[in-house]
Amino acid sequence: MLTIGRVMMAKECNCAMVQIRKVVRSIILLFLIQSTLTSTFNLPPTATDHAIFAVNEERRASIFKTVKYPTAILALDDFLLVSSFMTNQVIKIEWKQPLQVSNVSVFASGRGLDGPWGLTYGNGMVYIASFATDEIHLYATNGTFMTSIGGEVWLDGPEGLALSQNSQVLYVASFINDQIVAFSWDGMPLEVIATRRDGLMGPEHLTRQAGSDLLYAANHFKDAITVIDPNHHHVRTLTSIPRPVGLTFGLDGLLYATSYTTNSVIRINATSGDVLDTFASGKTMLGPSALRFATPRLLLIACYDSHQVLAFNSTSGLTFAVYQNDRTQA
C-alpha cells in the first residue's frame, strides 16, 4: 500500500489530482498508526488538559471549526503560526504572553497555497511549504504575500524547511521524491544535497542546531533521524525512532523528535545519537507532527490526528490545549 500511495502522489498537475495527493498523503500516515497507543504522559499525576482562550467563543468556533490536520508550528515573539493542512490555511494566534491568547486570525490562504506544511522565518519573511503545488510561499510578517519559489522541476511534496546559519540558504525536504534541495534565501535553485541514494525515504521536518550548519531530517519511512552536512554532502544516520515527523532543538542542546506511530516526543543526544528518554506521550497526543519551543520551557506540539496543538510546560508539568478543532472539544 505504501508503494502504491507514493506512486499515486507523483506529479499530477490538475486540481483533482492535487486533492488526491493530499488525501493519499493523509491515508498513508493514518494507515501507519499502531493499534495499541500509550495511555499516559510522563508528567505529575496532577497534569490536566485545559483550553486556554481569552477570545470571544463565537470567534473561536468560527476560526477553529475549519482547522484540520496541523502540520507545523512557528513561534515568533508575539504570535504563533500553525499550518492547517486540509483547509489550506496558516492560522495566526496572537498572545500578549504565551498561553494568554489575545486574537486569532488567518495569516495565509489563497495564492495557490494548497496543503501548507513546513514553516520557518528569516530575512524578515515567513516561508511556507505548499505540499500539493510543489512551492514555497514567502510572506511578510504582517501576512502580505510576497512571492512563491520552487516548482515541480525541483520539488515534489515539499514539507520541512530550514535556513542556514547565515540565513542565505533555504533547505527544503521534498517528501515524495526523497530529496533535500537547497535554494538561495530569495528562491534561486542551488543544488540537491541529499537523495534516496543517501538513504532518504520520506523526509519530513528539518531542523538545525544553533551555531551549526548541520541539518537534521526526520527520515520517516526509514524510521531514522538523518544528519546532513550540506557543505560536504555527507549524510549519516544519527539514531532510529519509529516514524519520526517533527524535530526541534531545545536550549538544553538536546534534539526533540515526534514519533508519529507511538504518539510520543523523544529526547535525543544530537552528538552521540543516544535516545535519552520519552519526554511526553499519551492518547491526548494523537499523531504528533511538529513541535517548537515558544519559550525555553514551553514546548508546543502539533497533533495531526486530533487537530490540536498542545503546550507542555516543563516547569509545572501541565499540558494545555492551545487550540483544538471543534470536533475534539467536549
Side-chain angles (χ1 to χ4, degrees):
M1 177 177 178
L2 180 60
T3 301
I4 294 173
R6 290 171 68 83
V7 170
M8 288 178 64
M9 289 190 297
K11 302 179 177 295
E12 292 83 8
C13 299
N14 61 62
C15 293
M17 292 309 297
V18 162
Q19 293 304 315
I20 288 175
R21 290 172 66 178
K22 291 174 63 177
V23 170
V24 172
R25 172 66 168 78
S26 299
I27 290 173
I28 287 173
L29 294 181
L30 290 172
F31 175 78
L32 294 168
I33 298 175
Q34 293 180 343
S35 58
T36 302
L37 305 179
T38 53
S39 59
T40 58
F41 279 90
N42 293 331
L43 306 177
T46 55
T48 55
D49 291 329
H50 300 275
I52 304 299
F53 274 94
V55 295
N56 180 275
E57 286 298 315
E58 292 183 4
R59 178 172 177 76
R60 173 186 173 187
S62 66
I63 289 291
F64 289 116
K65 67 184 178 183
T66 59
V67 173
K68 296 180 181 179
Y69 302 103
T71 51
I73 303 170
L74 181 61
L76 298 177
D77 289 340
D78 54 359
F79 63 90
L80 171 71
L81 296 179
V82 180
S83 293
S84 177
F85 183 70
M86 292 301 288
T87 63
N88 305 320
Q89 296 174 328
V90 174
I91 301 298
K92 180 179 182 180
I93 302 173
E94 300 175 61
W95 49 26
K96 296 179 181 178
Q97 55 182 314
L99 299 184
Q100 293 188 9
V101 174
S102 60
N103 190 48
V104 178
S105 59
V106 175
F107 176 80
S109 64
R111 301 279 186 173
L113 183 63
D114 199 340
W117 196 276
L119 298 169
T120 195
Y121 172 79
N123 306 298
M125 296 181 292
V126 175
Y127 297 78
I128 305 172
S130 181
F131 179 88
T133 59
D134 302 327
E135 295 175 328
I136 311 301
H137 289 206
L138 280 59
Y139 280 78
T141 54
N142 64 2
T144 300
F145 175 79
M146 300 180 69
T147 189
S148 62
I149 63 175
E152 64 177 10
V153 171
W154 290 89
L155 302 174
D156 198 353
E159 294 199 3
L161 303 176
L163 283 162
S164 63
Q165 187 176 179
N166 63 7
S167 296
Q168 296 302 295
V169 180
L170 174 70
Y171 299 105
V172 183
S174 188
F175 177 80
I176 296 175
N177 62 357
D178 306 316
Q179 295 187 155
I180 308 295
V181 184
F183 294 83
S184 66
W185 68 271
D186 56 354
M188 180 181 296
L190 299 177
E191 60 179 334
V192 175
I193 64 169
T195 70
R196 61 173 60 100
R197 286 181 294 182
D198 300 304
L200 292 183
M201 185 177 289
E204 304 233 34
H205 280 291
L206 302 174
T207 194
R208 183 183 57 77
Q209 190 170 19
S212 171
D213 269 329
L214 291 179
L215 289 174
Y216 294 76
N219 201 354
H220 188 77
F221 296 124
K222 284 287 190 177
D223 293 320
I225 307 299
T226 298
V227 185
I228 303 158
D229 182 343
N231 298 319
H232 300 92
H233 291 211
H234 180 258
V235 181
R236 64 183 175 89
T237 297
L238 176 68
T239 192
S240 297
I241 67 170
R243 294 299 189 259
V245 181
L247 297 174
T248 196
F249 275 96
L251 288 183
D252 55 8
L254 299 178
L255 180 63
Y256 292 70
T258 67
S259 172
Y260 188 86
T261 52
T262 63
N263 299 296
S264 61
V265 173
I266 296 170
R267 287 198 296 187
I268 302 163
N269 183 312
T271 301
S272 67
D274 293 337
V275 173
L276 303 179
D277 57 19
T278 299
F279 187 66
S281 64
K283 287 186 177 179
T284 308
M285 188 188 301
L286 292 179
S289 54
L291 70 175
R292 192 71 65 99
F293 280 93
T295 72
R297 293 188 179 275
L298 186 68
L299 180 63
L300 304 174
I301 305 167
C303 299
Y304 188 85
D305 295 324
S306 55
H307 313 285
Q308 62 182 344
V309 172
L310 299 177
F312 174 72
N313 187 313
S314 61
T315 301
S316 68
L318 295 180
T319 302
F320 301 93
V322 177
Y323 80 70
Q324 54 189 9
N325 186 274
D326 283 352
R327 63 174 162 173
T328 67
Q329 298 175 10

